[in-house]
Amino acid sequence: MPTDLAVQATQHLSHRVSRSPQDLMVHLHRIIASHYSRQIESLYGALLDLFIILDKKGFLLRQRLFNKFASSLSAHQSIALKQALMLGAGKLESLPHCDSSRFSNGMVGSACLVIKTDEPSQHQFSVLDEARDLIDSGLIDDARMILEQAIIQQPDDEHTSRELLELYRYTKDSSAFAAIYAQLNGLPLSLLDEWDALADILLEEKCAEA
């Protein structure tokens, strides 16, 4: 059983999270304090609140936290966080009830989560979130390589195709674009018209620079 001091500490951190929801360090301190004091409900609430605040951002951080602490949670809590990890908490219709959560108002309901059917698959979200994390960190080339690998494996995936096109439009890297464009030739590429149009634009810009 957690001591009164441990409960007071996690409650204090919960209040700090409410006041500063964008402060990731406070979220992490709350998660760790809940875990080491074995306050399972508080741990779930702390993880859930961070997942809600981040939504689809910070996938690698959310994944590490889930992998580290999921075994300490109940089955329903673990399933809920897994869905929030892959889809983003904002895409879930309902979540298992949690009194210790500060930000789940309006999202609490049945433990059976309803996923919107027009969203990408879990694998797609994993790839896209990882790429976006890298872009946010300034690692544009790394993000491009991840998306290129994904589109080669699934050329008909519209979400990956659109993300990669937007990246090429931003970087205007005609050499990288030409290389992947050649590899995708003849494959059932999603948004093919947009790829062809971008190929023409980048070619014109390269000719203008010559």
Side-chain angles (χ1 to χ4, degrees):
M1 293 291 292
T3 65
D4 290 342
L5 183 60
V7 172
Q8 291 174 9
T10 54
Q11 287 178 344
H12 172 69
L13 289 168
S14 296
H15 289 307
R16 288 187 61 190
V17 162
S18 297
R19 293 195 302 269
S20 305
Q22 302 300 325
D23 190 333
L24 294 183
M25 289 307 299
V26 177
H27 280 279
L28 294 176
H29 288 159
R30 180 188 176 200
I31 291 168
I32 293 170
S34 298
H35 172 69
Y36 282 109
S37 61
R38 299 184 179 181
Q39 299 180 70
I40 304 305
E41 189 71 10
S42 178
L43 174 61
Y44 171 63
L47 288 165
L48 178 59
D49 283 344
L50 179 57
F51 280 32
I52 289 171
I53 292 299
L54 291 177
D55 195 17
K56 297 178 187 176
K57 298 178 181 178
F59 177 79
L60 296 180
L61 171 62
R62 290 184 290 118
Q63 185 179 52
R64 284 195 294 270
L65 291 172
F66 177 83
N67 291 340
K68 183 175 180 63
F69 298 115
S71 61
S72 299
L73 305 175
S74 71
H76 284 167
Q77 292 169 344
S78 181
I79 290 171
L81 282 181
K82 181 68 171 180
Q83 300 284 13
L85 170 66
M86 304 312 299
L87 299 179
K91 297 301 181 182
L92 302 182
E93 298 289 348
S94 60
L95 293 164
H97 179 71
C98 181
D99 288 332
S100 61
S101 172
R102 296 285 172 151
F103 306 118
S104 62
N105 291 340
M107 300 179 67
V108 178
S110 165
C112 179
L113 303 179
V114 179
I115 303 172
K116 297 183 179 180
T117 57
D118 60 346
E119 295 299 323
S121 69
Q122 292 182 358
H123 169 72
Q124 291 163 347
F125 262 111
S126 177
V127 170
L128 293 179
D129 280 353
E130 185 173 358
R132 288 164 183 165
D133 282 343
L134 291 169
I135 291 171
D136 290 342
S137 301
L139 303 174
I140 306 297
D141 288 340
D142 292 337
R144 174 179 56 77
M145 287 188 288
I146 286 176
L147 292 170
E148 287 175 346
Q149 292 172 3
I151 200 65
I152 289 172
Q153 294 174 2
Q154 290 184 291
D156 60 345
D157 173 39
E158 179 179 344
H159 300 281
T160 303
S161 185
R162 189 176 304 282
E163 192 79 13
L164 190 52
L165 282 167
E166 290 179 0
L167 188 60
Y168 285 131
R169 291 188 184 107
Y170 172 76
T171 63
K172 299 185 183 300
D173 188 339
S174 58
S175 297
F177 177 86
I180 193 67
Y181 188 58
Q183 291 185 58
L184 295 170
N185 183 41
L187 298 179
L189 180 60
S190 177
L191 306 176
L192 179 58
D193 290 345
E194 294 188 32
W195 281 84
D196 291 341
L198 183 57
D200 292 340
I201 292 172
L202 292 178
L203 179 60
E204 290 177 3
E205 291 179 351
K206 189 171 184 179
C207 291
E209 293 173 357

